[in-house]
């Protein structure tokens, strides 16, 4: 047996594929950042989520993925790096994964529009915006670099909303703001 079970369901006449994977141990760490405390979750192979939390900072994890992520985030916030090199495993639909992968290609300090990503995925800008809002690893998958047409600041699902998005873009030296 391969360890992966695939089930097909029909719901509202749309086929949905659910993939059940063998259980992996999930570890987490809470770190401080200039934008508030962040909870990072990882399994043995990759980072699976990053979210804002009001919880207190935890002691450093022994998980090598979390160690790397924490170091790279610290370097990012201290202007010591402008990119991330961490294995990622966000959970989402095929379309969401395509949008998130596209966002990882946006260079530090630059922006693209929802329309730009929509053209590359063949879906409407609003669908791209929804996928951005579901990004489970913000900052590292830089959804803050996606703006409305004409560079308009529209939407950010992270804590603080557009003000956090603006802070991240200014931090990266984006002068369009």
């Amino acid at each position: 047996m391969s360890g992966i079970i695939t089930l097909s369901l029909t719901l509202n006449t749309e086929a949905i594929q659910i993939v059940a994977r063998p259980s992996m141990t999930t570890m987490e760490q809470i770190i401080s950042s200039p934008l508030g405390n962040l909870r990072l979750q990882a399994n043995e192979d990759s980072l699976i989520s990053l979210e804002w939390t009001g919880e207190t900072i935890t002691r450093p994890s022994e998980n090598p993925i979390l160690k790397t992520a924490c170091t790279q985030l610290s370097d990012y916030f201290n202007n010591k790096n402008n990119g991330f090199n961490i294995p990622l495993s966000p959970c989402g639909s095929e379309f969401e994964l395509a949008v998130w992968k596209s966002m990882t290609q946006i260079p530090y300090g630059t922006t693209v529009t929802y329309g730009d990503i929509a053209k590359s995925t063949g879906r409407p800008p609003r669908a791209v915006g929804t996928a951005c809002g579901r990004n489970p690893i913000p900052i590292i998958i830089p959804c803050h670099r996606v703006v409305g047409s004409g560079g308009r600041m529209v939407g950010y699902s992270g804590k603080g909303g557009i003000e956090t998005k603006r802070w991240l873009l200014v931090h990266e030296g984006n002068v369009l703001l």
Side-chain angles (χ1 to χ4, degrees), residues 95-143:
F95 171 67
E96 289 168 337
L97 292 171
V99 169
W100 301 335
K101 182 176 181 177
S102 179
M103 288 189 293
T104 65
Q105 306 304 308
I106 305 168
Y108 180 93
T110 65
T111 59
V112 300
T113 67
Y114 295 98
D116 293 333
I117 295 176
K119 287 176 191 165
S120 71
T121 61
R123 298 284 292 271
R126 187 173 301 271
V128 170
T130 299
C132 287
R134 292 183 180 155
N135 174 10
I137 312 174
I139 302 170
I140 293 170
I141 297 177
C143 51

Side-chain angles (χ1 to χ4, degrees), residues 41 84 115 123 173 176:
Q41 293 183 321
F84 295 95
R123 298 284 292 271
L176 296 176

Side-chain angles (χ1 to χ4, degrees), residues 40 47 64-74 84 86 140:
L40 292 85
L47 189 66
I65 300 297
L66 288 173
K67 283 182 177 183
T68 300
C70 291
T71 297
Q72 290 184 17
L73 280 164
S74 176
F84 295 95
I86 305 166
I140 293 170

Side-chain angles (χ1 to χ4, degrees), residues 5 49 62 120 126 157 169:
I5 303 166
S49 72
E62 293 302 314
S120 71
R126 187 173 301 271
S157 61
L169 291 171

